[in-house]
């Protein structure tokens, strides 16, 4: 991230973006269930992975590697597994 105080703006932006990504995944499930033909189990699985990836991005943005490498690394792992497999 950028140095203080601009890092606060960067973190708020990244966490907000991850929240909107999570919201898009939830809306995908909602609209696939209300449309004719419904949704399959794969749709739910992939939307779940996407939501998990968005949560990982939130963790990733909450703290950088200098502050707490455990939280940052866990968030990165969850993000890449959730988004890249999806």
């Amino acid at each position: 991230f950028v140095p203080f105080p601009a890092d606060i703006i960067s973190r708020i932006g990244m966490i907000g973006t991850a929240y909107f990504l999570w919201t898009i995944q939830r809306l995908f499930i909602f609209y696939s269930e209300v449309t004719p033909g419904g949704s399959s189990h794969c749709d739910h699985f992939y939307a779940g992975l996407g939501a998990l990836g968005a949560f990982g991005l939130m963790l990733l943005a909450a703290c950088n590697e200098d502050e707490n490498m455990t939280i940052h690394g866990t968030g990165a792992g969850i993000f890449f597994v959730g988004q890249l497999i999806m």
Side-chain angles (χ1 to χ4, degrees):
F1 283 162
V2 293
F4 183 81
D7 66 341
I8 297 170
I9 296 168
S10 297
R11 290 177 190 206
I12 290 171
M14 282 186 67
I15 292 171
T17 301
Y19 175 75
F20 286 124
L21 179 64
W22 178 83
T23 304
I24 289 169
Q25 297 298 328
R26 299 291 95 201
L27 288 173
F28 172 75
I29 286 296
F30 173 73
Y31 285 120
S32 66
E33 288 178 352
V34 298
T35 56
S39 63
S40 67
H41 294 294
C42 289
D43 291 341
H44 287 280
F45 178 69
Y46 287 133
L49 279 178
L52 187 67
F55 176 72
L57 183 59
M58 288 181 203
L59 282 178
L60 188 67
C63 74
N64 65 17
E65 63 274 0
D66 296 332
E67 295 169 347
N68 191 336
M69 187 59 188
T70 305
I71 294 174
H72 185 79
T74 303
I78 292 171
F79 172 69
F80 287 118
V81 166
Q83 291 295 318
L84 294 180
I85 290 178
M86 186 186 83

